[in-house]
Amino acid sequence: MINAESSHVFSVFEISSFLKENIESNPYFSSILLKGEISNFSFSHGKHMYFSLKDEQALIKAVMFSYDNMKLNFLPKDGDEVIVRGDIKIYLKTGVYQIVVHQMEEVGTGKKLQALEALKRKLYLEGLFDENKKMKIKEIPSNIALVCAPKSAALKDLIFNINRRFPLVNIFIFPSLVQGEDAPKALINALNKAFNFKEKIDTIIVARGGGSSEDLDAFNDEKLIRFVASRPIPLISAVGHEIDLSLLDLVSDVRVSTPTAAAEKAVPNKDDILLDLDQKHNLLTKNMQNHILSLHYRLSSYKNMDFFKAPESMYIKTLARLENTKNLFIKSMKYRLDKMKGALQNYLLRLEANHPNQVLKRGYAIVEGEEKLITSVKNVKIKDTLRITLKDGTLVSEVIRKE
């Protein structure tokens, strides 16, 4: 019997969402290469392609949307063996995972894609794409470096949008080739100049407009990727369009699809800053007004105090308090002295009552021998001389007998 109370019971949505999030956010499942045979091929309204890719042991569903499949130089059909590049996605409503294909080539022409996938896997395993190594883009930069083709639309777009959003930032341009065999070396040289520029660069943007996969080959160069991985400055990649994913995108700190988006990531919007300053100014003004009002109320209360309304009355009241305190002190001391005198008088009376002279007055006498008081007949011998003290004098006598 299942004990549902002893452990957490997942909903279907929870487990599907967990799988979707962890698979789709993992770079290892983005822009992967997959080889297989097409089956169940169909067009949706003559635009999107839906099919399956299979081998001898498994099958995966696939879709290639119109903006990607319109670039194909052949028409796929059932039975074709192809190599595709795409992203693994999970459709929550059905729980089905599939590959969203961005590129497709017939087997025999996909060696280049296979080599790129192998390089991607190698760099991934080495940790070059690790999210923990990503640097944070500075929120309010002072200096920004742009690495892109001179006089390009991407450069113009970046300059316009950066100045529009935050004109206080300094823009430094490091021109470079972005296409062709010499582009990787040129990009490394431009980045190196930016890294070592005399001004402290806060953010670097590498930008290029869209193009075919061949046009973006420079941004998959292993030397370039390793050089960028050792960067000392945060880097934003704005290469190609949303459907294109280069290795530079994976190694950079932030990846965007357009130069405009790169500008939005690199600098704040001055309008937002001004709005925030206005709000803080209003809040500060309100707080100061409240503080001044509070001080005004306190001052008004002070004005109504006797000390300020009639200072001499405070002096008179203080003298009266001192006089009252003095009288209380004198009264207290007199009471204590009287009490002590009464106690002392009692002690004197008790001492007088117990004085030997008082005893003698009552008819008693003090009998002394030669060296000590006589308190017993046993202490006296016949013919001993005794001194007998009475209340009014002393007698000297001789003992003639004892009774």
Side-chain angles (χ1 to χ4, degrees):
M1 181 176 179
I2 297 175
N3 184 2
E5 296 181 355
S6 63
S7 59
H8 178 72
V9 178
F10 289 94
S11 68
V12 176
F13 177 77
E14 283 179 325
I15 197 67
S16 297
S17 298
F18 176 81
L19 293 173
K20 178 179 175 65
E21 179 181 352
N22 283 273
I23 290 178
E24 294 186 4
S25 64
N26 191 332
Y28 192 75
F29 296 107
S30 298
S31 194
I32 66 170
L33 289 178
L34 190 62
K35 179 181 177 182
E37 179 185 329
I38 294 178
S39 64
N40 302 316
F41 183 86
S42 65
F43 270 109
S44 172
H45 304 295
K47 294 183 178 180
H48 309 313
M49 294 180 178
Y50 293 92
F51 54 96
S52 298
L53 288 175
K54 65 178 183 178
D55 56 23
E56 294 180 354
Q57 296 176 307
L59 177 146
I60 183 174
K61 291 185 178 296
V63 59
M64 190 173 191
F65 296 113
S66 59
Y67 49 74
D68 286 321
N69 64 46
M70 64 185 299
K71 301 175 186 178
L72 294 177
N73 55 11
F74 72 103
L75 180 61
K77 62 183 183 299
D78 286 351
D80 285 349
E81 190 173 11
V82 295
I83 293 178
V84 300
R85 176 185 291 280
D87 306 320
I88 299 297
K89 302 288 184 181
I90 293 180
Y91 188 52
L92 283 180
K93 287 187 177 181
T94 61
V96 173
Y97 79 97
Q98 62 182 356
I99 180 170
V100 178
V101 177
H102 300 309
Q103 295 172 277
M104 181 188 297
E105 294 188 9
E106 295 178 284
V107 170
T109 61
K111 291 183 179 180
K112 182 178 178 181
L113 289 177
Q114 290 178 321
L116 179 59
E117 182 64 19
L119 176 60
K120 174 185 172 183
R121 186 178 295 107
K122 180 176 73 170
L123 297 179
Y124 172 81
L125 294 175
E126 289 182 21
L128 270 66
F129 307 148
D130 192 346
E131 290 295 324
N132 294 327
K133 295 181 180 179
K134 306 290 186 184
M135 288 184 279
K136 187 177 180 180
I137 304 299
K138 189 173 183 179
E139 292 185 3
I140 304 181
S142 299
N143 303 303
I144 287 183
L146 306 181
V147 176
C148 49
K151 300 180 181 180
S152 63
L155 177 60
K156 294 177 182 178
D157 192 351
L158 281 168
I159 294 175
F160 172 78
N161 284 290
I162 289 174
N163 285 327
R164 173 181 61 83
R165 290 175 59 84
F166 194 66
L168 296 178
V169 73
N170 299 314
I171 300 174
F172 298 95
I173 302 170
F174 297 87
S176 172
L177 294 173
V178 293
Q179 184 175 338
E181 293 182 1
D182 296 329
K185 184 177 180 181
L187 287 166
I188 291 174
N189 289 335
L191 287 170
N192 189 50
K193 291 177 182 178
F195 292 161
N196 298 288
F197 192 54
K198 61 180 180 179
E199 299 290 344
K200 176 68 172 68
I201 301 298
D202 297 305
T203 306
I204 296 177
I205 301 175
V206 178
R208 186 203 189 285
S212 66
S213 60
E214 290 79 10
D215 294 336
L216 303 179
D217 280 348
F219 300 98
N220 292 317
D221 181 80
E222 182 175 359
K223 290 183 179 180
L224 172 65
I225 303 307
R226 292 189 181 280
F227 184 76
V228 171
S230 64
R231 65 196 175 281
I233 300 171
L235 186 143
I236 298 174
S237 172
V239 176
H241 296 305
E242 186 65 40
I243 60 173
D244 300 313
L245 186 67
S246 66
L247 297 184
L248 180 68
D249 294 327
L250 297 177
V251 76
S252 63
D253 298 296
V254 173
R255 186 256 172 169
V256 294
S257 57
T258 64
T260 300
E264 292 174 353
K265 289 288 186 181
V267 296
N269 190 337
K270 67 179 187 303
D271 295 333
D272 294 337
I273 294 177
L274 292 174
L275 178 61
D276 182 60
L277 289 175
D278 285 340
Q279 292 174 343
K280 289 179 178 177
H281 176 266
N282 293 335
L283 180 61
L284 180 61
T285 301
K286 184 178 179 180
N287 289 338
M288 288 300 296
Q289 290 174 341
N290 290 337
H291 185 62
I292 292 172
L293 186 61
S294 174
L295 292 176
H296 176 73
Y297 288 147
R298 289 174 63 185
L299 183 60
S300 297
S301 66
Y302 292 153
K303 286 171 59 179
N304 296 323
M305 292 175 63
D306 292 340
F307 179 82
F308 293 103
K309 293 174 67 176
E312 68 280 0
S313 67
M314 299 293 294
Y315 173 71
I316 294 172
K317 287 181 179 180
T318 302
L319 286 179
R321 285 199 303 270
L322 288 174
E323 184 66 23
N324 185 53
T325 302
K326 183 184 78 172
N327 293 333
L328 288 174
F329 178 74
I330 292 173
K331 185 176 181 181
S332 175
M333 290 301 296
K334 185 178 179 181
Y335 171 78
R336 292 186 66 185
L337 286 172
D338 290 344
K339 189 175 181 181
M340 291 173 68
K341 285 180 180 179
L344 183 60
Q345 188 65 33
N346 289 332
Y347 289 140
L348 288 173
L349 292 174
R350 290 172 64 184
L351 284 173
E352 288 180 357
N354 291 285
H355 194 279
N357 289 336
Q358 297 296 325
V359 177
L360 294 177
K361 288 179 180 179
R362 293 197 296 271
Y364 293 97
I366 299 173
V367 181
E368 298 176 277
E370 293 182 358
E371 297 180 354
K372 59 182 179 180
L373 288 173
I374 302 303
T375 59
S376 174
V377 174
K378 296 177 180 180
N379 296 332
V380 178
K381 297 177 181 179
I382 300 299
K383 294 184 179 182
D384 281 350
T385 300
L386 301 177
R387 288 175 58 84
I388 303 172
T389 302
L390 301 173
K391 68 176 182 179
D392 55 354
T394 302
L395 299 176
V396 178
S397 63
E398 181 178 308
V399 178
I400 56 176
R401 72 173 179 268
K402 294 194 298 181
E403 295 179 357

